[in-house]
Amino acid sequence: MTTLRRFLGEFSSMPATVGWYLADLGEFKGRQEMFTRRAPQKLQALRQHALVESTVSSNRIEGVKIDQSRINTVVFGSPHLRDRDEEEVRGYRQALSWIHDDGDSIPITEKTVLNLHRLVRGDIWDAGAYKDKDGEIVQRYPDGRSRVRFRPVSARNTPDQMGKLVSLYDDAARSRAIPPAILLAAWNLDFLCIHPFRDGNGRVSRLLLLLQLYHWGFDVGCYISLERIIEENKERYYETLEESSRGWHEDRHDPWPYIQFLLFVLKTAYKEYEQRLSDVGNGRGNKTELILQAIAKANQSFSISEIRDRCPEVSLEMIRRILKRLRDDKRIESTGRGRNARWRKTGNW
């Protein structure tokens, strides 16, 4: 029995913190249009920034990385792609563009799920196809040890389970028996527990979450990268997923840790959305503001490369220029020289 089937049968006692999240999200959603009207000329810049961050972060969570200097070219240009990683990064960007452009008209169907997988996996033999062999989700440790974290649905049962999951989503959406934000998170958990593909499940799950958010009027993922927030909280992401998937096959699992995590991601995105639009409305430069926010979120000690990871479309030269200005203003100081140089926050952040 999946989480959705259980909720449709009896949706009751949810943790009090979930209720608080839902109340906060309701307020954010209510103010969404007001903030969008405040600075419509800046929304395209936010959207483009989120497109880069989401593409890079969602792939990086799964170990798919490309050269920092190639990010803008791969995401926005039409270059000759050098390797599989660049192909998958480009494919994720194409999937994001499809959702951002046509999200309201893209249904939650198996065809949509397979099409998203085909995009993110690129030119590989099983792109857009369910797994044909059973597998395990294995956690590997630096010392060479490993353990089985979860055994997904078998390959033989995957098509049937995915068909039922899509049908359950339709039933839940029509009945409105489950609050939309919880519905999306519960469906996302069930999808990851089925684990329908040999590879690419995490990336497809994040794209489907974005698509479903569009369907329910939560537009924040267009302007703030949900994938980047998940990457910044990656340990919590994997911990709550493991906690909530334990006992899933026997219907003895506790879905709330993972559901609360995704609600936290959504609330964090809305808070950042309002902050960025407020800052833009005060006349601050968009790229400068992105750098300042990245520094504010960084540890007390940080490197230029860490800031660049958070602002992938901002040039290295501009980051250095802002750091120099902040150093002159006594807000940061350099603690080294050369490639290993680090910076330390000294002023009020």
Side-chain angles (χ1 to χ4, degrees), residues 279-329:
D279 290 338
V280 166
N282 290 332
R284 304 176 79 167
N286 190 53
K287 289 189 176 180
T288 298
E289 181 58 34
L290 293 175
I291 297 170
L292 294 176
Q293 288 187 3
I295 295 172
K297 291 181 179 181
N299 294 327
Q300 188 66 23
S301 173
F302 60 90
S303 67
I304 288 181
S305 63
E306 289 169 2
I307 301 305
R308 198 174 185 195
D309 282 346
R310 290 175 179 267
C311 308
E313 80 277 34
V314 179
S315 70
L316 184 59
E317 179 184 356
M318 183 172 185
I319 294 174
R320 286 174 173 156
R321 188 164 62 246
I322 297 299
L323 291 178
K324 182 178 183 301
R325 191 184 77 192
L326 293 172
R327 183 190 62 191
D328 294 342
D329 292 341

Side-chain angles (χ1 to χ4, degrees), residues 3 7 18 182 185-186 189 244 255-264:
T3 310
F7 281 175
V18 173
I182 294 179
L189 172 63
S244 288
W256 294 112
Y258 185 72
I259 290 174
Q260 289 185 79
F261 173 73
L262 288 189
L263 296 180
F264 155 80

Side-chain angles (χ1 to χ4, degrees), residues 49-65 71 89 92 96 203 206 225-232 234 238 309-310 312:
H49 181 68
L51 188 70
V52 176
E53 283 193 328
S54 295
T55 300
V56 173
S57 287
S58 197
N59 280 280
R60 196 159 51 200
I61 291 171
E62 311 302 334
V64 177
K65 302 177 181 179
I71 289 176
V89 167
Y92 196 90
L96 279 175
R203 282 167 285 178
R206 292 184 281 276
S225 170
L226 305 177
E227 293 91 334
R228 189 252 304 155
I229 297 171
I230 292 173
E231 184 189 20
E232 290 174 346
K234 186 166 63 172
Y238 284 124
D309 282 346
R310 290 175 179 267

